[in-house]
Amino acid sequence: MSGQPSTYQPKSGFTRWLDSRLPILRLAHDSFVDYPTPKNLNYWWTFGAILSFMLGMQIITGIVLAMHYVPNATMAFASVEHIMRDVNYGWLVRYLHANGASMFFVAVYVHMLRGLYYGSYKAPREILWILGCIIYLLMMATGFLGYALVWGQMSFHGAVVITNLFGALPLVGESIRTWLWGGFSVDNATLNRFFSLHYLLPFMIAGVVILHVWALHVSGQNNPIGVDPKSEKDTVKFTPYATVKDGFGVALFVVMFGLFVFYMPNSLGDVNNYIPANPLVTPEHIVPEWYYLPFYAILRAIPNKLMGVLAMFGSIGVLFILPWLDTSKVRSMRFRPKAQIFFVIFVINALILGWCGHNPPDKFAIPVGEGGLTFVWLSRIGTAYWFAYFVIIMPLLGIVEKTRPVPDTISSPVLSGAATVEKA
Amino acid sequence: MRRILSVIAPVLALAIAVPALAAEHEAKLYTPKGGWSFQGPLGSFDQGSLQRGYKVYREVCSSCHAMNLLSFRNLGEKYGPFYDEKFPNPADNPFVKTLAHDQEAPAIKGINEETGDVEDRPGLPSDRFPDPFPNEYAAKASTGGYVPPDLSLIVKAREGGANYIYSILTGFVEAPSDVTVPDKLYYNQSFPSHFLGMKPPLADNKVSFDDGTPSTIRQQAKDVTTFLAWASEPKQTERKRLGLWVMAYLIGMALLAYGSYRRVWKNVH
Ligand code: HEM
């Protein structure tokens, strides 16, 4: 894949001149035109393009919002409503940005699960995967900071809960929390720095995305059967093949995005965030945005606050070492029947954890007579499976599992002993 | 794959059934007869209802509840209560001007440029709806200890939206015999805790409707809720209308992209 000779031919005098000074068009040509992609990529592979599109969407709408937004504790909420009511198409820009964040997370979760299922984190793509995990962490931070900017009830009390987590660290906790707040409570100084950082982080994400795509172009894309392309027969050129397929994927995704923006723009948000922040009134249930819910459940599953915080960060941290936890020789789960089952349970478990994160811990998730299973206990089971999946199942399964026969090349799956392979 | 499905199915069934069971215990919400004019992707506000609703707000609710995010000019904006296509600029709309000018209790305050005193003055379309109380202590003192919330965003700020507001306004029923209602609180069947610090604000014929609509509690509640739903997002009709075009365009683009995809990939096997 990489190291193949460049086929770029500058056509005009100007591009020849440019090419011998800054071969930027050559880079673009080699990366996005001539670049060979496995010909068997399915639609799960279009989510990389969808993510790039959403990042661009968030940056553009965000910059426009920042032109009208006022990062001040007494004016922030009203300035957001000013955008909704008085700025030309301000409602559109805000709803694009707010729902865009959710869609961005939908896409990143699909993208990551794709990687998990097809073993895209395995050698030689460890760095590529870790860069992806860094992007994901940065996205989580950006989403949290952005949500605080509205300065509604959920913004404020969510910011209090999350910043207080740092207070749980031994010795340095209190000082870190004061440092994050810029004072002794979540207040104007906090809002100001959150705005500054919310503006900064997406550009850091863009920087890491460049590294991510660079690493991708060195190792080449994985594909549904997890067998590296062996010859030209196994690949197609990026343009037009991948571009047009990605284009279709993005178009479909934007249709779904549009349905949210125009017809249910508040369905993913919390009603309490339409009440201006009031430090003296705490909402009955403080719940984060849906994309943090599984981790919120893990946090609350552990009775000790410090351990809860560590478990929450650990649940994402474990992704970073996944390439070394999975011992299987076979990359794609298409040929790992047992792994498939554990993977499906993992996905359902993550959804259940999300459901737990949404509900008060002491409520009964599954009522049985007078008692039943509370959400906190359900999230304990879920947390256990989350960690077990990565640190027990993945290492052991790779050793004991009997895999199905893997085809030799992308072009020949039907020929070799793979007639038994299910069509996925 | 079938084995995997046999794992998914019971879990999904559980995930759907359990919240449904839980929902049974919550306070009941009602939708008015005939539903809401603004519901659904094609819905838009019934202008008559908006106008009656504004009258209810102005004559009843505004003595306790502020609507800080609204200005008189908003009343004359497109899809709003007093929009008139002859006056694309709502500040020119004579009806809006009169409404602002005649605003009395609470009155609009301004600085007298000769004496420097703060005095009541006639309102302008650019004025915000005036606050009934100078501060929340005054509000508490007058209502018995509970601060009436600002209503600008109330429909978006409550679970259940318009149905919730309508149910609260029509939900002041006799308390069950085994319930003692605390002092200065009123029993309401749809309020989550059932004890609300607001006196039943509506009564039959409390507001006169110039268009002959019978002025029942339910009608007043339906109209004022419609008005509040508009106020919580005055641009929502515009959003739905624009959405139709955008969705049609996006679906067209997706079909085109699909056609191109099929064509480009025709020869790849
Ligand atoms: C802003 C967020 C992200 C953007 C814009 C982005 C973009 C991309 C793009 C354009 C590709 C090309 C391949 C494809 O189309 O699938 C890709 C591949 C990949 N991404 Fe991401 N990505 C993001 C986040 C992540 C995250 C959070 C992870 C995982 C933790 C991740 C893991 C991967 C992996 C492993 C590949 C290689 C895929 C393969 O060939 O199997 N990415 N990414």
Side-chain angles (χ1 to χ4, degrees):
Chain A
M1 298 258 132
S2 58
Q4 62 154 23
S6 174
T7 58
Y8 176 63
Q9 296 280 339
K11 295 215 175 61
S12 69
F14 171 72
T15 48
R16 266 195 299 279
W17 179 88
L18 182 66
D19 195 50
S20 56
R21 284 162 181 80
L22 178 72
I24 187 166
L25 293 178
R26 177 180 299 276
L27 179 70
H29 179 90
D30 294 344
S31 314
F32 302 112
V33 180
D34 199 40
Y35 182 72
T37 66
K39 68 179 189 183
N40 60 336
L41 298 186
N42 54 31
Y43 284 109
W44 300 119
W45 262 262
T46 60
F47 280 82
I50 290 169
L51 283 164
S52 312
F53 174 83
M54 289 314 298
L55 179 62
M57 171 67 77
Q58 290 307 95
I59 290 182
I60 292 169
T61 52
I63 289 176
V64 177
L65 288 175
M67 294 174 186
H68 303 279
Y69 172 76
V70 184
N72 176 293
T74 56
M75 294 187 271
F77 187 88
S79 77
V80 172
E81 280 303 316
H82 162 71
I83 292 168
M84 292 296 293
R85 290 158 191 265
D86 294 329
V87 174
N88 286 328
Y89 293 100
W91 58 269
L92 178 58
V93 180
R94 171 167 183 241
Y95 278 156
L96 282 171
H97 197 77
N99 288 281
S102 276
M103 296 299 121
F104 201 178
F105 276 95
V106 168
V108 85
Y109 284 136
V110 173
H111 190 69
M112 293 170 77
L113 288 173
R114 184 280 318 262
L116 219 52
Y117 186 82
Y118 294 110
S120 300
Y121 49 86
K122 293 164 84 78
R125 298 188 180 84
E126 301 93 325
I127 300 276
L128 174 57
W129 170 260
I130 289 173
L131 288 166
C133 293
I134 294 174
I135 293 171
Y136 175 56
L137 276 183
L138 288 171
M139 280 174 64
M140 302 260 268
T142 311
F144 163 69
L145 295 167
Y147 192 61
L149 299 185
V150 181
W151 216 242
Q153 274 291 64
M154 243 351 135
S155 301
F156 181 88
H157 293 279
V160 171
V161 169
I162 302 300
T163 48
N164 269 328
L165 295 181
F166 292 91
L169 297 174
L171 300 175
V172 289
E174 293 275 315
S175 329
I176 291 186
R177 195 177 55 180
T178 308
W179 177 73
L180 286 175
W181 284 344
F184 296 99
S185 62
V186 173
D187 206 337
N188 197 49
T190 325
L191 176 59
N192 269 296
R193 62 192 51 202
F194 277 20
F195 179 53
S196 169
L197 294 174
H198 184 68
Y199 212 132
L200 171 69
L201 290 196
F203 294 93
M204 291 181 56
I205 294 178
V208 186
V209 168
I210 290 173
L211 298 182
H212 186 75
V213 174
W214 183 15
L216 173 77
H217 285 218
V218 172
S219 57
Q221 275 161 292
N222 185 26
N223 63 72
I225 65 166
V227 175
D228 288 331
K230 302 270 158 54
S231 69
E232 257 183 47
K233 272 203 311 209
D234 293 340
T235 63
V236 289
K237 283 192 188 317
F238 192 92
T239 300
Y241 296 97
T243 9
V244 73
K245 191 166 182 172
D246 284 348
F248 174 51
V250 172
L252 270 189
F253 192 81
V254 174
V255 168
M256 177 186 74
F257 183 23
L259 279 178
F260 276 96
V261 168
F262 291 103
Y263 295 105
M264 36 188 177
N266 296 305
S267 59
L268 298 170
D270 193 300
V271 291
N272 283 292
N273 229 26
Y274 277 109
I275 303 172
N278 181 352
L280 303 177
V281 179
T282 308
E284 201 182 342
H285 305 299
I286 300 178
V287 272
E289 292 284 79
W290 69 266
Y291 34 86
Y292 304 118
L293 288 174
F295 306 104
Y296 194 53
I298 293 176
L299 168 77
R300 295 193 302 184
I302 318 270
N304 176 298
K305 191 169 172 195
L306 176 62
M307 295 314 282
V309 173
L310 292 181
M312 183 179 72
F313 284 112
S315 63
I316 297 169
V318 69
L319 294 174
F320 282 77
I321 51 167
L322 176 62
W324 297 277
L325 289 174
D326 181 359
T327 52
S328 177
K329 296 265 174 322
V330 175
R331 206 179 266 151
S332 168
M333 283 197 196
R334 188 170 285 189
F335 308 105
R336 303 180 57 192
K338 291 266 155 23
Q340 276 179 12
I341 295 173
F342 288 109
F343 174 82
V344 171
I345 299 175
F346 177 80
V347 176
I348 295 169
N349 182 57
L351 294 174
I352 291 178
L353 276 174
W355 181 44
C356 294
H358 183 73
N359 280 285
D362 298 330
K363 208 170 119 182
F364 291 115
I366 303 167
V368 183
E370 290 291 284
L373 182 67
T374 56
F375 279 105
V376 69
W377 274 102
L378 188 59
S379 44
R380 283 176 188 156
I381 300 170
T383 306
Y385 184 77
W386 180 286
F387 283 102
Y389 180 76
F390 292 111
V391 295
I392 301 173
I393 298 171
M394 285 301 228
L396 287 187
L397 202 59
I399 300 166
V400 301
E401 182 182 37
K402 197 170 159 311
T403 56
R404 295 201 186 110
V406 178
D408 298 332
T409 69
I410 292 174
S411 320
S412 63
V414 252
L415 300 182
S416 48
T420 51
V421 172
E422 271 182 74
K423 263 212 142 135
Chain B
M1 207 58 211
R2 202 171 307 133
R3 227 169 339 149
I4 299 182
L5 282 178
S6 65
V7 178
I8 302 178
V11 178
L12 274 187
L14 199 72
I16 295 166
V18 171
L21 285 175
E24 244 176 82
H25 301 284
E26 272 147 37
K28 260 212 165 133
L29 298 191
Y30 301 89
T31 311
K33 261 229 313 272
W36 300 108
S37 52
F38 52 90
Q39 77 195 5
L42 298 174
S44 65
F45 292 99
D46 167 2
Q47 209 180 17
S49 181
L50 282 179
Q51 296 184 354
R52 290 190 299 272
Y54 173 65
K55 194 156 192 269
V56 176
Y57 169 72
R58 181 161 163 149
E59 290 176 15
V60 182
C61 325
S62 76
S63 59
C64 296
H65 292 279
M67 286 185 84
N68 261 320
L69 297 172
L70 276 279
S71 302
F72 288 97
R73 68 180 161 82
N74 296 128
L75 297 171
E77 277 169 10
K78 201 163 181 196
Y79 306 119
F82 298 99
Y83 175 65
D84 181 341
E85 53 192 15
K86 285 201 292 283
F87 304 100
N89 177 357
D92 299 335
N93 183 321
F95 212 90
V96 171
K97 281 192 192 167
T98 315
L99 284 173
H101 185 270
D102 294 349
Q103 174 70 37
E104 260 171 8
I108 294 182
K109 305 219 177 287
I111 295 179
N112 181 324
E113 292 182 4
E114 274 160 30
T115 61
D117 294 336
V118 178
E119 302 175 341
D120 293 357
R121 66 158 169 77
L124 297 169
S126 57
D127 282 319
R128 301 220 164 207
F129 289 6
D131 284 341
F133 302 109
N135 53 54
E136 65 178 71
Y137 306 104
K140 273 189 192 165
S142 120
T143 58
Y146 300 92
V147 183
D150 186 289
L151 294 183
S152 318
L153 279 166
I154 198 78
V155 172
K156 279 161 93 179
R158 291 291 183 277
E159 213 71 68
N163 289 338
Y164 173 77
I165 306 298
Y166 175 77
S167 307
I168 288 286
L169 293 174
T170 54
F172 293 95
V173 294
E174 199 74 36
S177 50
D178 56 333
V179 172
T180 17
V181 182
D183 194 29
K184 290 184 182 157
L185 286 173
Y186 303 86
Y187 188 82
N188 190 302
Q189 60 176 9
S190 293
F191 191 63
S193 73
H194 296 309
F195 302 130
L196 187 58
M198 167 167 73
K199 275 211 285 277
L202 300 173
D204 288 340
N205 297 317
K206 189 160 182 177
V207 181
S208 64
F209 292 144
D210 310 336
D211 60 359
T213 308
S215 184
T216 58
I217 290 188
R218 287 191 180 177
Q219 186 65 40
Q220 293 161 15
K222 179 178 180 178
D223 291 337
V224 77
T225 305
T226 302
F227 170 72
L228 293 174
W230 165 80
S232 72
E233 192 175 339
K235 294 295 197 302
Q236 60 187 287
T237 309
E238 186 183 347
R239 180 185 89 221
K240 292 175 183 173
R241 298 273 160 96
L242 181 65
L244 289 182
W245 294 107
V246 175
M247 292 314 292
Y249 174 83
L250 290 177
I251 291 168
M253 288 295 286
L255 290 175
L256 259 177
Y258 184 66
S260 325
Y261 160 63
R262 289 305 294 265
R263 206 170 148 158
V264 166
W265 281 74
K266 208 166 54 203
N267 298 320
V268 180
H269 296 292

